[in-house]
Amino acid sequence: MKQAPHSSSLSRLGNFGVPGSVLPLRLARLVMTRDLPRNAFQAALARGEPQIGLWCCLADTVAAEISAGAGFDWLLLDSEHSPNDNRTILAQLQAVQAYPVTAMVRPPIGNAVTIKLLLDIGAQNLFNPHGGYGRASEAPGLRHPVSA
């Protein structure tokens, strides 16, 4: 049986990467939590270090990438008061990923569905302007992974 291509973390799991096989729940949790990226923004705030950032409202990957290389600690990709949608947010998250900057996303609306979708496309930090939930983990039905 030929194995399907899979990520490096799954390749260490043997035949569990084969389509149709089931990854045991404990092992799946271990793989998911072990492979989470370190949240440098939260770690710096926990150490009491000031963080300087920039709001990106242009909905453009080139502008986001230029901003990411400008030396800021964080960039906020605003989708409440700018023409960003889920696709442009995803493209900008991908564009800034290669730089030592933390990307934050401001959702257009603070409901659980929108927040979960942004987390699914890779947003690690959310700025919720609607107040209802102080953190994404406080929204009904949402939990966040272990922080750095």
Side-chain angles (χ1 to χ4, degrees):
M1 175 186 279
K2 186 176 180 181
Q3 288 190 347
H6 38 275
S7 72
S8 62
S9 63
L10 288 179
S11 65
R12 295 187 297 267
L13 301 177
N15 291 332
F16 290 117
V18 176
S21 64
V22 178
L23 188 63
L25 185 57
R26 283 187 183 168
L27 191 54
R29 285 184 184 150
L30 174 67
V31 170
M32 288 188 298
T33 56
R34 195 179 114 217
D35 292 341
L36 289 174
R38 183 176 167 276
N39 192 324
F41 179 73
Q42 286 183 353
L45 289 179
R47 290 189 304 269
E49 297 174 5
Q51 298 293 289
I52 311 243
L54 178 72
W55 288 58
C56 296
C57 301
L58 297 175
D60 182 67
T61 57
V62 174
E65 188 170 0
I66 290 170
S67 300
F72 292 102
D73 297 312
W74 56 267
L75 297 176
L76 188 129
L77 308 175
D78 187 7
S79 61
E80 183 183 25
H81 297 293
S82 66
N84 277 314
D85 60 15
N86 295 330
R87 289 181 182 175
T88 59
I89 291 291
L90 173 60
Q92 290 174 84
L93 287 170
Q94 291 170 336
V96 305
Q97 187 175 10
Y99 294 88
V101 65
T102 298
M104 298 173 58
V105 178
R106 182 179 186 178
I109 187 167
N111 66 23
V113 172
T114 303
I115 291 172
K116 285 192 280 187
L117 191 133
L118 290 170
L119 293 172
D120 286 344
I121 65 172
Q124 192 177 25
N125 298 287
L126 298 176
F127 175 75
N128 189 354
H130 305 285
Y133 307 113
R135 293 174 34 184
S137 63
E138 296 170 2
L142 292 180
R143 288 183 286 158
H144 64 88
V146 178
S147 298

